[in-house]
Every structure is written in structure tokens, then in C-alpha cells.
Amino acid sequence: TGGSAWDANTLKLAYDPKFNASQSELLAELKATYYHEGYHLARGFSFATTPADMSAINLAIEEGAATKFEVLQANGMPGYAKYEDRPTMLSWLKEVKALPDGFDYDWQRYKFYDPETDRKWILYKLGVFIVDEALANYPNQNIETLAQLTCLDILKLSAL
């Protein structure tokens, strides 16, 4: 399954008709995707609203927060929600912070798959890691309250 927050009022969901799963599994996947994309819309984040100069770290936080919401509220557990060990994540954080603003880097390798390093979902996993750190540091916060904060605020809460 897949989806996108297209603009302020539109989200798109898709699935592969050859998806090898039961109807209930497919519906659970679609529900998780719907929650993920709905969280983006709640934050005002969509293809239409993404600034051309958005930093990679902000993109990671947007995807990480939506993924965390998907996990907590729709009981999803996609592969991109399961991050690596702390030293690896801190290394990825340094790497992603060093990327140029905007999309003047091979963002698809960071968002989806990098065949040169065999790494998947770097931005998603890093974003979930940052959100988890923020929530651990501030137990009075939850994924819903983070929806009202900027990416910079979430990064500050993470203390990374």
C-alpha cells in the first residue's frame, strides 16, 4: 500500500491488486497509510505545501512523526518505523544534517532505498528516532501535541 498527502484537502491511497494478503490485512495496511497521510495533513504538510528549500532533517521529522502516529493510532508497524541502533542513528543524523537544503541531493535514496549502501528508509527511520527521543525527554508530550510543533521544536525536544 502507499499514499500521499497531495494538498491541504486531498490525500491519495493506493494498493497493489497483487498484494499477497487477506482482505483484513489489506484493510489494516490501508488504515495505517490513511492515518499516516492524515497526520501529514493535520500538520499542513503535503506535496503542494512542501517548500522547495525544505531541509532533509525537516523532511525526516515530518515522515517520522507521521510514522509514529501510524504506529500508535493504527497499530501499524511498517519496516520504516524500525530504526537501527543508536550509534547508527546518530551517524545518520550527522549525515542528513549535512545535506543541502531543498532537494539538491538524491532524496529518493534517503527516503526510500540506496542501492549503493543497501540502506532503506533513512529519513523515515531517522525521523522516528528523533520523535521517540523527543517523547522520551518530554513525557508530557504525545504524538498529538507534537503535531502542533515545528520540526525545529521537535528536534530541540529530542536534544540531538
Side-chain angles (χ1 to χ4, degrees), residues 5-147:
W6 194 249
D7 61 32
N9 301 306
T10 308
L11 62 84
K12 295 182 178 186
L13 298 177
Y15 72 96
D16 182 347
K18 297 175 187 165
F19 187 64
N20 188 20
S22 68
Q23 183 177 6
S24 64
E25 290 170 322
L26 174 60
L27 291 174
E29 289 282 331
L30 286 169
K31 176 183 176 182
T33 302
Y34 178 80
Y35 275 62
H36 180 109
E37 300 306 332
Y39 191 85
H40 282 320
L41 293 182
R43 286 184 54 78
F45 179 73
S46 69
F47 281 117
T49 61
T50 301
D53 63 347
M54 182 177 209
S55 68
I57 195 66
N58 281 3
L59 182 56
I61 293 167
E62 291 291 356
E63 292 298 353
T67 299
K68 190 66 178 181
F69 184 77
E70 168 186 357
V71 168
L72 293 173
Q73 298 301 325
N75 298 315
M77 187 44 82
Y80 51 85
K82 302 171 193 164
Y83 49 81
E84 316 304 321
D85 60 67
R86 186 175 185 80
T88 299
M89 298 316 299
L90 294 175
S91 173
W92 288 5
L93 177 65
K94 184 177 178 181
E95 179 181 348
V96 168
K97 280 184 168 181
L99 292 170
D101 285 350
F103 294 90
D104 293 335
Y105 61 95
D106 192 351
W107 63 270
Q108 292 174 330
R109 287 182 176 218
Y110 283 88
K111 194 167 181 184
F112 302 115
Y113 177 67
D114 182 354
E116 291 179 14
T117 62
D118 197 36
R119 299 182 299 177
K120 288 183 183 177
W121 308 305
I122 295 167
L123 295 180
Y124 288 86
K125 290 178 177 185
L126 179 59
V128 175
F129 175 72
I130 291 167
V131 167
D132 278 349
E133 291 290 308
L135 293 173
N137 291 342
Y138 291 88
N140 60 322
Q141 296 286 337
N142 58 47
I143 196 60
E144 291 82 5
T145 60
L146 292 189

